Amino acid sequence: MRTLISTAFISLDGVVDSPGGEPGYRNSGWTFKDVEFLPEAFDIKGREQEEATAILMGRTSYEAFSLVWPDMEDFADYKVMPKYVVSTTLTEDDLVSNWGEMTILRSLDEVAALKETEGGPIIIHGSAALNQALSDAGLIDRYHLLVFPLLLGAGKRLFSETDKDTQKLKLVEHEVYANGLQKNVFDVVR
């Protein structure tokens, strides 16, 4: 079984909306506007590219990332990985042609089936709604969270507000940086 890893830039109050400057959100770009950049705090991002064997995204994140990531040197390792987009509306004609192998998945059942295949970790970038659905369905195995010392208030959140049983997490790696960022890596306890 493959490990499904959710990776996120997240504010202390749980917001993951538009960390890189995507338009339409009042606090867009909060990861680089409001907190001093320390390269060591982002080392986990390079490690994720080395360890992941595939990327999973929702439609909205795919549409944002596919415009810039294929040509970015910072994300070169992702270009050659298989990419899976969970969407009920995208068609093959909507997919970009310069970003390697891509497959559209139509349901969480198809994500669960993907997890059952041979291969290494699958990393989820962005994709707030998808993360919520996957978490609620018990499909996420690990969280890589870079927690920013900010309270953003409104915005898309990583975790849903679904009334559900307690889900235990085990902290397996953590670090605090001089700029207030916290790296927290949690395994989901089954």
Side-chain angles (χ1 to χ4, degrees):
M1 179 184 280
R2 299 173 82 170
T3 303
L4 194 55
I5 301 169
S6 172
T7 181
F9 295 141
I10 186 168
S11 68
L12 191 58
D13 57 349
V15 175
V16 294
D17 205 341
S18 307
E22 300 80 357
Y25 175 60
R26 152 187 192 157
N27 293 316
S28 184
W30 49 271
T31 59
F32 61 87
K33 285 191 323 194
D34 298 318
V35 177
E36 175 193 1
F37 178 75
L38 292 178
E40 61 271 21
F42 296 88
D43 285 347
I44 192 169
K45 297 305 183 187
R47 194 174 82 205
E48 288 170 350
Q49 284 190 68
E50 293 169 6
E51 294 174 357
T53 60
I55 302 173
L56 181 69
M57 315 164 251
R59 180 194 50 82
T60 301
S61 291
Y62 166 77
E63 289 174 341
F65 298 155
S66 68
L67 296 177
V68 292
W69 281 21
D71 298 320
M72 287 183 73
E73 192 171 317
D74 287 347
F75 300 110
D77 291 337
Y78 286 145
K79 188 167 186 169
V80 297
M81 280 181 208
K83 285 159 242 20
Y84 299 90
V85 183
V86 181
S87 174
T88 58
T89 58
L90 277 180
T91 67
E92 296 293 328
D93 291 338
D94 295 323
L95 300 176
V96 297
S97 61
N98 64 335
W99 205 18
E101 176 189 340
M102 284 185 266
T103 304
I104 298 172
L105 304 177
R106 298 293 182 197
S107 68
L108 294 183
D109 288 339
E110 290 186 22
V111 175
L114 174 64
K115 281 187 63 171
E116 296 295 328
T117 63
E118 293 293 319
I122 303 166
I123 194 132
I124 310 162
H125 281 283
S127 310
L130 177 60
N131 263 287
Q132 291 177 5
L134 292 168
S135 177
D136 288 349
L139 293 173
I140 294 177
D141 301 297
R142 175 174 274 195
Y143 291 95
H144 289 183
L145 305 178
L146 278 180
V147 183
F148 284 70
L150 302 169
L151 300 175
L152 298 174
K156 294 177 187 174
R157 298 188 181 276
L158 184 62
F159 301 103
S160 76
E161 294 183 13
T162 301
D163 185 12
K164 58 186 176 185
D165 291 337
T166 300
Q167 175 65 70
K168 293 182 182 178
L169 305 174
K170 179 181 179 187
L171 184 65
V172 295
E173 183 180 340
H174 63 91
E175 194 161 348
V176 178
Y177 302 94
N179 62 357
L181 252 78
Q182 297 176 33
K183 173 180 65 180
N184 294 304
V185 177
F186 293 99
D187 280 343
V188 175
V189 176
R190 304 249 186 250

